[in-house]
């Protein structure tokens, strides 16, 4: 039983707590995964034999996608990938789990393969025996042992749970919330242009320097302690917390485009204090009493079920641990039509400072501190917009007029929302009782 097998079993149990009676292990002779003593009925199969299986609770496909040509130099091979996913769905019981383990360190373009494979499996839906089924995406996570033993940050496991879905409306543009994030606010060019605006490695107001100022609000760190960064984006905050404060940091983000960028960068840098998982911070099981610090920069306005998020955060924080979050929030002014549209397009769930405070207290946090940072937000937006104008020539070397207009107008609009006391920028800090 290796640590990698244990990591996979931990993720499977978290995604689907039911009993695992029948397991199918799809592997090559070189596979290191056996699950001996962990999963009693594991058997080895070739991919083609999956078609004849039914009633399976767990399928582990260990490094077969590249080996069998489902991922090629040209990218994903749609027809064979479709056939594989369809056979897996037919073989699995509802609630059963498909684990795909694939090492992308030899892939020519992991920046493309990682998000496109994640997208493929997340939105894959088919009618099977009268039911509309697909995979409920739990996570795509780095294999810890590959990081520590080989400096390989590109070895992944995807954890996918078979689920029955309601067919989408004919005009639905996106299938899941991850799909929505990756196709709207966090497209690849969008991320690049945002990073130009905010500064290297950051997709949040003020970039590197502002993030240091925000981290300082924790009031100091224990060297080597563990931090969780929720909605870590392209990884600026995670790498800063590790490199400047010596923390062990896990970054999670639901956007595959965002987190891929963070992962590829850390694969080049080899900072083993840092690891990542593409997952939804609301549903991922972080474990109990794990982190000394939980941090989140400007993510939680995206989250609908704030109570579920706070419950999850509270559970994973160690007793005495500290949480610090900045978020886009709402003020007390009547919403303008433009602000309503801005909010609806992004599916934001903006809260007032009072709402955040009440929720924190309701979930058991103590020493709750909230702070309105909107004036600082105004200063930053004004500075960033002026910088865009001044450095136009550099911007146009990389991006188009349309992207310039979108950023310039977006920053100007936010300044107007602040003026109307619609848009706020809020900070929340609290402690889990010791
Ligand atoms: N914190 C990063 C930074 O400072 O550069 C990124 C901030 S960006 C404005 C917000 C991030 O939250 C996005 O990368 C988005 O994908 C992520 N996010 C939104 N909903 C999420 C969820 N439910 N779970 C995890 N991440 C989420």
């Amino acid at each position: 039983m290796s640590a990698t097998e244990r990591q996979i079993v931990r993720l499977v149990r978290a995604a689907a707590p039911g009993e695992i009676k029948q397991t199918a292990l799809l592997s090559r002779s070189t596979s290191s995964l056996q699950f001996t003593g962990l999963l009693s009925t594991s058997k080895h199969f070739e991919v083609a034999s999956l078609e004849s299986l039914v009633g399976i609770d767990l399928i582990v496909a260990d490094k077969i996608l590249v080996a069998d040509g489902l991922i090629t130099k040209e990218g994903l091979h749609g027809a064979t990938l479709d056939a594989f996913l369809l056979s897996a769905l037919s073989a699995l019981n509802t609630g059963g789990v498909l684990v795909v383990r694939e090492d992308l360190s030899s892939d020519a373009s992991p920046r493309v393969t990682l998000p496109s494979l994640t997208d493929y499996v997340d939105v894959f839906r088919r009618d099977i025996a009268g039911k509309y089924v697909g995979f409920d995406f739990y996570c795509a996570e780095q294999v810890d042992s590959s990081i520590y033993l080989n400096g390989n940050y590109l070895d992944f496991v995807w954890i996918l749970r078979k689920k029955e879905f309601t067919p989408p409306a004919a005009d639905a543009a996106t299938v899941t919330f991850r799909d929505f994030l990756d196709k709207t606010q966090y497209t690849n060019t969008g991320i690049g242009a945002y990073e130009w605006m905010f500064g290297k490695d950051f997709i949040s107001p003020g970039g590197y320097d502002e993030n240091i100022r925000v981290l300082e609000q924790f009031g100091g760190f224990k060297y080597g302690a563990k931090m969780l960064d929720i909605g870590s984006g392209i990884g600026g905050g995670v790498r800063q917390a590790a490199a400047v404060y010596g923390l062990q940091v896990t970054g999670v983000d639901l956007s595959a485009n965002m987190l891929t960028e963070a992962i590829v960068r850390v694969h080049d840098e080899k900072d083993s204090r840092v690891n990542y998982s593409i997952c939804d911070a609301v549903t991922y099981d972080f474990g109990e009493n794990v982190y000394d610090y939980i941090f989140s920069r400007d993510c939680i306005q995206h989250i609908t079920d704030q109570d579920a998020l706070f419950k999850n955060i509270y559970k994973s924080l160690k007793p005495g641990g500290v949480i610090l979050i900045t978020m886009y929030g709402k003020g007390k002014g009547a919403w303008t039509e433009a602000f309503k549209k801005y909010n609806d397009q992004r599916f934001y769930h903006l809260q007032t400072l009072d709402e955040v405070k009440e929720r924190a207290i309701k979930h058991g946090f103590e020493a709750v501190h909230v702070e309105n940072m909107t004036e600082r937000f105004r200063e930053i937006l004004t500075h960033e917009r002026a910088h865009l104008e001044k450095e136009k020539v550099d911007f146009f070397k990389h991006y188009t007029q349309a992207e310039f207009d979108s950023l310039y107008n977006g920053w100007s609009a936010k300044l107007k929302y602040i003026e109307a006391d619609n848009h706020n920028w809020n900070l929340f800090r609290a402690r889990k009782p010791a």
Side-chain angles (χ1 to χ4, degrees):
M1 281 181 285
S2 66
T4 301
E5 288 166 315
R6 286 179 200 277
Q7 184 184 358
I8 291 173
V9 170
R10 175 181 65 77
L11 292 170
V12 170
R13 299 253 187 249
E19 199 187 341
I20 299 167
K21 292 195 197 118
Q22 292 296 330
T23 305
L25 179 58
L26 309 176
S27 63
R28 292 315 187 95
S29 52
T30 51
S31 170
S32 58
L33 301 181
Q34 302 296 328
F35 297 103
T36 317
L38 280 176
L39 302 170
S40 52
T41 54
S42 77
K43 294 193 177 75
H44 295 251
F45 294 97
E46 289 297 316
V47 176
S49 63
L50 202 53
E51 277 174 29
S52 59
L53 300 180
V54 284
I56 303 292
D57 302 303
L58 173 64
I59 298 171
V60 181
D62 184 25
K63 296 187 183 170
I64 55 151
L65 299 193
V66 173
D68 288 13
L70 286 74
I71 299 175
T72 68
K73 281 200 192 74
E74 287 73 42
L76 304 183
H77 192 271
T80 48
L81 198 51
D82 277 6
F84 165 65
L85 295 175
L86 190 59
S87 314
L89 279 175
S90 306
L92 281 171
N93 292 321
T94 300
V97 175
L98 169 64
V99 176
V100 175
R101 191 266 178 103
E102 209 57 51
D103 183 350
L104 301 182
S105 59
S106 305
D107 191 283
S109 41
R111 270 195 172 85
V112 177
T113 307
L114 176 55
S116 55
L117 182 59
T118 303
D119 181 61
Y120 209 100
V121 294
D122 183 37
V123 305
F124 190 85
R125 305 273 193 272
R126 289 293 184 275
D127 276 308
I128 299 179
K131 286 183 177 163
Y132 188 68
V133 290
F135 293 106
D136 188 19
F137 172 77
Y138 181 67
C139 70
E141 184 153 315
Q142 292 169 311
V143 173
D144 293 335
S145 294
S146 296
I147 294 178
Y148 299 129
L149 299 178
N150 306 322
N152 176 7
Y153 294 73
L154 294 171
D155 190 3
F156 300 97
V157 279
W158 282 259
I159 307 289
L160 310 160
R161 189 171 32 197
K162 178 178 169 182
K163 187 175 164 185
E164 195 172 339
F165 292 94
T166 311
D171 60 350
T174 53
V175 180
T176 63
F177 187 56
R178 184 220 46 83
D179 191 27
F180 168 76
L181 290 172
D182 280 334
K183 289 216 176 80
T184 57
Q185 218 173 331
Y186 305 122
T187 60
N188 282 329
T189 32
I191 293 170
Y194 270 147
E195 187 183 11
W196 189 98
M197 200 68 180
F198 292 119
K200 190 163 161 24
D201 299 331
F202 285 89
I203 309 290
S204 53
Y208 187 97
D209 291 343
E210 190 65 18
N211 202 63
I212 288 274
R213 274 191 277 277
V214 174
L215 282 177
E216 288 290 325
Q217 302 286 321
F218 270 98
F221 296 109
K222 278 183 281 170
Y223 181 84
K226 287 178 89 165
M227 175 183 271
L228 172 67
D229 183 344
I230 293 178
S232 53
I234 59 175
V238 170
R239 289 148 74 222
Q240 192 179 62
V244 177
Y245 298 101
L247 301 177
Q248 303 280 333
V249 195
T250 295
V252 297
D253 202 292
L254 187 55
S255 159
N257 290 341
M258 285 284 231
L259 212 58
T260 295
E261 204 44 55
I263 290 169
V264 171
R265 290 179 194 195
V266 80
H267 183 69
D268 292 339
E269 282 172 4
K270 310 283 180 226
D271 187 341
S272 62
R273 292 167 296 200
V274 166
N275 71 336
Y276 290 110
S277 182
I278 304 174
C279 67
D280 185 339
V282 179
T283 53
Y284 185 91
D285 184 353
F286 295 105
E288 233 171 293
N289 305 334
V290 175
Y291 296 102
D292 301 280
Y293 309 103
I294 295 185
F295 179 55
S296 180
R297 273 299 306 276
D298 307 324
C299 161
I300 76 163
Q301 67 273 3
H302 285 290
I303 291 174
T304 315
D305 194 343
Q306 295 280 331
D307 279 315
L309 175 74
F310 269 67
K311 202 168 161 213
N312 210 19
I313 291 173
Y314 188 87
K315 186 178 116 190
S316 64
L317 200 57
K318 282 182 188 168
V322 181
I323 171 161
L324 193 149
I325 295 179
T326 65
M327 70 198 88
Y328 285 7
K330 64 180 175 191
K332 300 218 161 94
W335 283 22
T336 62
E337 281 309 312
F339 190 65
K340 271 186 212 152
K341 199 168 156 207
Y342 160 86
N343 183 67
D344 290 352
Q345 275 172 350
R346 287 164 175 75
F347 282 105
Y348 277 168
H349 299 274
L350 303 175
Q351 305 172 78
T352 61
L353 271 182
D354 292 342
E355 285 166 343
V356 177
K357 189 167 185 175
E358 266 172 41
R359 198 182 309 282
I361 293 167
K362 179 174 115 187
H363 285 274
F365 286 103
E366 63 179 24
V368 178
H369 166 81
V370 288
E371 200 175 318
N372 187 334
M373 306 211 301
T374 311
E375 198 39 49
R376 177 76 190 129
F377 191 31
R378 187 210 300 271
E379 280 171 26
I380 293 170
L381 287 166
T382 308
H383 170 79
E384 285 170 345
R385 188 180 61 176
H387 176 253
L388 176 65
E389 268 212 296
K390 191 162 159 266
E391 300 298 333
K392 255 185 205 170
V393 175
D394 180 72
F395 185 87
F396 286 129
K397 282 185 198 154
H398 312 279
Y399 303 104
T400 62
Q401 180 72 45
E403 278 147 356
F404 179 91
D405 293 344
S406 163
L407 289 173
Y408 193 90
N409 296 337
W411 261 238
S412 302
K414 277 192 201 131
L415 286 165
K416 283 199 185 126
Y417 306 149
I418 290 173
E419 211 57 58
D421 194 20
N422 287 170
H423 208 320
N424 276 11
W425 190 39
N426 294 332
L427 180 143
F428 151 73
R429 186 184 62 227
R431 193 172 55 217
K432 181 170 172 174

